[in-house]
Amino acid sequence: MNSIKKNHFLNYAEYLRKRSIISYYYRKYYLYPKISKPLKGLVLDVGCGIGDYLEFRKNTIGVDINPFLVDICKNKNLKSKLMRNDVLPFETSYFEGVIFDNVLEHIKNPKKIILEIRRVLKKNHYLIVGVPGSLGYTMDNDHKVYYDKLELKNLFENFGFTFKESYGMPINFNFFEKIMRQYCLYARFERI
C-alpha cells in the first residue's frame, strides 16, 4: 500500500472514531433497530467502519477496504474481513441479509460491488441501503455520487433487486434532508 493511501485510510479511521456519543446512541437505540427489523439470519455489513453495527447485531460479519478499520473491529472481537478489489471474500448465496449504510455515495462506479452484494445475498432476502440527504452529502469531501429515492431505486433495480420501501431517518420527512446533515435516506430491496 502506498503512503498516500495508507495516510488516507489512517485519517479516515481516526475521523470515524471521533463520532459523538449522541450519534452512537442514536444509531444503537433508534437507527439500527429500525433498519434491522426485516433482517433474519446471517447478515453482511459492507463498509463496516469501526464496527458499530457489528456490536449491535451479533449475527453479522463486516467487511471494509480500510485495513485500519478492520483491525479496530478485530480488536473489539468483532467478525470483520478486509475486502480487496470490490470482491467480497465469501461464497455465493452466503448471507440472509446485507447492510450497505453510508458507503454507496463514496463509490464513483458501484457496478462491481453491487454485483458482488447480489452474488453473496441469498434469493428472496433483503439488502438495506442508506445514503446521506443533500446537505449531509456536501459535508464529506470523499462523497462522489448523490442519490435521491428514484436514482437509488433505479440503480438497484438495474442489478436484479426489487424495491420494497424507503424512509428518511431520523425523521421520515424529505424536507429535513436540506436542513439536517444527519438526515439519511434508507431503502429496502429484495434480491430476486
Side-chain angles (χ1 to χ4, degrees):
M1 177 184 334
N2 69 42
S3 62
I4 293 172
K5 193 170 198 173
K6 183 177 180 179
N7 284 338
H8 174 72
F9 281 156
L10 185 59
N11 290 338
Y12 200 73
E14 289 305 312
Y15 164 74
L16 289 182
R17 291 177 100 166
K18 291 179 182 174
R19 56 120 164 71
S20 72
I21 194 74
I22 293 170
S23 173
Y24 171 77
Y25 283 112
Y26 159 72
R27 294 175 85 72
K28 183 175 181 178
Y29 294 108
Y30 187 69
L31 175 65
Y32 292 157
K34 170 126 176 124
I35 66 176
S36 297
K37 233 177 215 176
L39 300 176
K40 308 287 184 243
L42 184 62
V43 170
L44 174 64
D45 181 2
V46 178
C48 62
I50 59 174
D52 284 349
Y53 190 77
L54 304 178
E55 287 178 312
F56 170 77
R57 190 177 190 284
K58 298 303 179 194
N59 199 15
T60 303
I61 299 173
V63 293
D64 209 293
I65 63 169
N66 185 326
F68 297 105
L69 295 173
V70 171
D71 286 345
I72 288 169
C73 291
K74 286 183 176 179
N75 287 336
K76 296 180 189 178
N77 294 316
L78 302 170
K79 296 176 192 169
S80 180
K81 293 187 176 198
L82 186 63
M83 182 178 77
R84 298 178 192 268
N85 304 318
D86 288 333
V87 176
L88 295 170
F90 303 100
E91 296 174 18
T92 298
S93 300
Y94 193 76
F95 292 96
E96 286 90 18
V98 175
I99 293 285
F100 199 35
D101 186 11
N102 282 272
V103 177
L104 181 63
E105 67 278 4
H106 294 271
I107 305 168
K108 192 170 189 173
N109 182 0
K111 177 181 179 179
K112 193 170 181 181
I113 189 61
I114 293 172
L115 288 173
E116 275 293 286
I117 289 170
R118 188 178 194 296
R119 181 184 67 78
V120 301
L121 182 60
K122 292 179 179 179
K123 285 185 178 179
N124 305 317
H125 286 78
Y126 297 126
L127 161 66
I128 310 295
V129 181
V131 292
S134 56
L135 181 60
Y137 175 79
T138 66
M139 303 305 285
D140 188 335
N141 62 6
D142 192 48
H143 290 170
K144 296 181 176 50
V145 182
Y146 169 76
Y147 294 93
D148 64 18
K149 178 181 172 180
L150 184 59
E151 291 165 330
L152 199 60
K153 179 181 180 294
N154 290 340
L155 176 66
F156 284 90
E157 284 182 343
N158 286 336
F159 291 102
F161 290 89
T162 299
F163 175 79
K164 296 308 229 181
E165 68 174 331
S166 67
Y167 46 88
M169 290 294 284
I171 301 165
N172 191 20
F173 188 53
N174 291 348
F175 168 77
F176 286 98
E177 84 161 312
K178 292 177 176 36
I179 62 169
M180 179 185 283
R181 66 182 176 87
Q182 297 87 352
Y183 179 92
C184 290
L185 171 67
Y186 284 86
R188 180 168 57 99
F189 297 92
E190 183 176 357
R191 184 203 185 287
I192 53 174

